[in-house]
Each structure stands twice: as C-alpha cells, then as structure tokens.
C-alpha cells in the first residue's frame, strides 16, 4: 500500500519532518511517500497562502494518481484543497485537522486546539464547525510561533505546553496540535500536560491506511464525483480537466503543469 503525504508548503525540511513522523506509525508494508508542491508558499499561515497552496497540492494528487498511490494525506492544519483533492483521487484523502479532531473526539468529550499564529485561529474554528465539533472544542489558542520557526525556536515546547495547559484549564480533556510542524512535539506535550495529545499527521496517516484497507474511497456519486472536463486558461491552463473518469482511468483527470 502506498500513502502519499503531501506537505502543502514548499519547505523541504518540513516535508522531511512530516515524512519521518508518518513512517514511524505506518504499518509494515505501507510505503509513505512524503512530497511537497513544486510551487507555492514556503509556509501557510494566511488565507492568501492557503489559497495559493491548493494548485500545487492538486498537482501532487494528479501525479499520485498516475503513480498508483492508494491514499493521501494533506498535511497542513487548514486542510487546504481537501474537497478538490477528493474529486481527483481514486483513494481516500485525509486532512490533518479533520483526522486529529476525529481522533481526539474518540478519547475525550472535549478538546482544545493549540495552533501557531493568532491569525490562523479563525480557520481552525471554521474547520471545527465544518466537522461538527463545535460542542466538543472548548478553545483554539495560539502559541504565536510561526510555522517555520517551530523546528528551531528553543521556546517551542514550553510555549505549546503553556497553551495546552490553558485549554485544559478551560475544560479540555485532550489537546489537538494545530500545525503539521508540531508533529515531533506530541509525546513531550502529552507527558508534560498529562492529557492525550493528538498530532494530525500520525492520525491522518493511520486513518488513510485504515480506509484503504477497508476498500473505502471518495464516492464517485454526487459532490466528490470527478470535476467536469472544461477549458482552463492563463497560468492554470495546465490544470485543465481532460476527462472525468477518475475511477475508470487512474490518470488523466488533471494534466500536471508543463
Ligand atoms: C500550518 C501547517 O500545518 N503547515 C503550514 O504551513 N501551516 N498550520 C498552521 N496553523 O500554521
């Protein structure tokens, strides 16, 4: 089984970090393919960056379809392009926010989220509502460390622990880490705070693996049906849909940009 973990930003060190976490939990026989877009922002912490990350994510899904990938993880906590990726993919596509919130809800009635910058809290709240966890999520807090500083800032563990304790004081019984770049902190934060801490990268990899094993894939009926063939112009001409046959022809849904 082959699971493609897409780091939606273009920072190689972060792709490598995400790949390491994914490989630790993947079952024997599951090949984890950690990739990043060929274009797009170095990190994603604004709506603008999130929007511009999506074409590169879709390109990696289209390439994955050509290579016979069985399932995908979109490893950014804004879950960028998730619905669009499901329209292209013949296997399951999991977002890390979606996977982490579902996992947290299985071990705690109420959870809190600790994200990077304050400005990303709105997107996290939107996703909480979308996934149906508005009653379960007590608070979204920010540690105010930018994504690309997470690996190097000496204060990162202390700051994430402090915000995690704050959500626990608000009634959270588990903590969801709100960035793929926090993946390596999961065990340490849990040890310090004393509640289950969920890292979306590992949650999404294991869920994707499980869905593939169950033979579950995006429904070809209705909303996740392949997008219709249609002209696409300008910079996005390379993304023109050539045929709407995702489940019949594993490749050809999207041409990758020249
Ligand atoms: C993220 C993430 O997971 N990757 C990225 O570039 N930005 N999330 C966040 N809350 O800042």
């Amino acid at each position: 089984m082959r699971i493609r973990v897409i780091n939606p930003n273009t920072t190689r060190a972060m792709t490598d970090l995400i790949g390491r976490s994914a490989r630790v939990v993947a079952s024997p026989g599951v090949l984890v393919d950690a990739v990043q877009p060929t274009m797009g922002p170095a990190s994603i912490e604004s709506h603008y960056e999130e929007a511009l990350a999506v074409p590169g994510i879709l390109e990696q899904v289209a390439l994955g379809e050509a290579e016979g990938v069985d399932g995908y993880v979109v490893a950014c906590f804004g879950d960028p392009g998730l619905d669009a990726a499901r329209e292209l993919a013949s296997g399951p596509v999991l977002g890390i926010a979606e996977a982490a919130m579902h996992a947290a809800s299985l071990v705690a009635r109420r959870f809190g989220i600790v994200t990077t910058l304050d400005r990303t809290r709105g997107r996290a709240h939107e996703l909480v509502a979308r996934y149906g966890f508005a009653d379960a999520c007590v608070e979204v807090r920010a540690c105010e460390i930018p994504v690309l500083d997470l690996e190097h800032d000496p204060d990162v563990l202390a700051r994430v622990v402090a915000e995690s304790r704050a959500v626990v004081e608000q009634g959270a019984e588990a903590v969801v880490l709100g960035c793929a770049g926090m993946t390596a902190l999961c065990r340490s934060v849990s040890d310090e705070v004393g509640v289950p801490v969920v890292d979306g990268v590992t949650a999404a990899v294991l869920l994707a693996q499980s869905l593939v094993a169950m033979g579950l894939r995006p429904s070809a009926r209705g909303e996740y049906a392949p997008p219709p063939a249609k002209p696409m112009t300008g910079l996005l001409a390379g993304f023109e849909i050539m045929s709407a046959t995702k489940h019949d022809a594993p490749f050809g849904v999207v041409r990758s940009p020249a």
Side-chain angles (χ1 to χ4, degrees):
M1 183 193 303
R2 186 163 159 201
I3 303 289
R4 171 161 289 192
V5 181
I6 304 169
N7 167 25
N9 74 45
T10 53
T11 299
R12 170 62 58 192
M14 195 157 153
T15 307
D16 293 343
L17 173 78
I18 289 167
R20 285 195 295 276
S21 278
R23 287 183 195 104
V24 166
V25 296
S27 293
V30 174
L31 187 71
V32 171
D33 177 20
V35 300
Q36 65 190 49
T38 59
M39 58 189 147
S43 67
I44 302 166
E45 43 206 6
S46 69
H47 296 291
Y48 181 77
E49 290 153 356
E50 186 170 312
L52 291 178
V54 172
I57 296 168
L58 299 179
E59 180 191 15
Q60 291 306 320
V61 174
L63 293 170
E65 291 299 286
E67 294 164 27
V69 167
D70 298 293
Y72 301 85
V73 169
V74 176
C76 170
F77 203 79
D79 287 354
L82 194 57
D83 290 315
R86 285 186 181 140
E87 291 177 347
L88 298 188
S90 50
V93 186
L94 271 292
I96 64 167
E98 179 183 47
M101 289 182 211
H102 281 86
S105 75
L106 298 174
V107 294
R109 279 295 274 248
R110 298 199 291 169
F111 62 81
I113 299 172
V114 177
T115 184
T116 53
L117 302 185
D118 186 70
R119 65 182 299 164
T120 69
R121 289 173 61 240
R123 179 68 180 146
H125 277 295
E126 247 170 46
L127 293 179
V128 164
R130 174 185 163 165
Y131 300 140
F133 293 118
D135 289 341
C137 181
V138 300
E139 205 180 5
V140 181
R141 293 183 69 94
C143 69
E144 287 300 346
I145 297 177
V147 174
L148 296 183
D149 290 352
L150 288 170
E151 240 192 310
H152 310 291
D153 190 321
D155 293 337
V156 69
L157 180 61
R159 302 264 288 274
V160 174
V161 164
E163 299 307 330
S164 299
R165 288 198 174 116
V167 296
V168 169
E169 272 161 32
Q170 291 297 310
E173 298 146 3
V175 172
V176 167
L177 299 177
C179 180
M182 295 178 181
T183 181
L185 300 176
C186 189
R187 177 70 62 86
S188 308
V189 178
S190 185
D191 289 346
E192 294 276 337
V193 183
V195 298
V197 175
V198 186
D199 156 45
V201 175
T202 51
V205 167
L206 289 171
L207 277 170
Q209 178 188 306
S210 300
L211 293 179
V212 172
M214 287 188 274
L216 292 174
R217 48 170 55 189
S219 175
R221 191 183 173 92
E223 205 173 311
Y224 290 147
K230 188 175 296 181
M232 196 77 72
T233 54
L235 282 177
L236 296 180
F239 286 84
E240 189 168 309
I241 299 294
M242 304 305 286
S243 82
T245 55
K246 101 175 136 177
H247 295 315
D248 304 329
F251 184 61
V253 178
V254 169
R255 270 189 294 131
S256 65

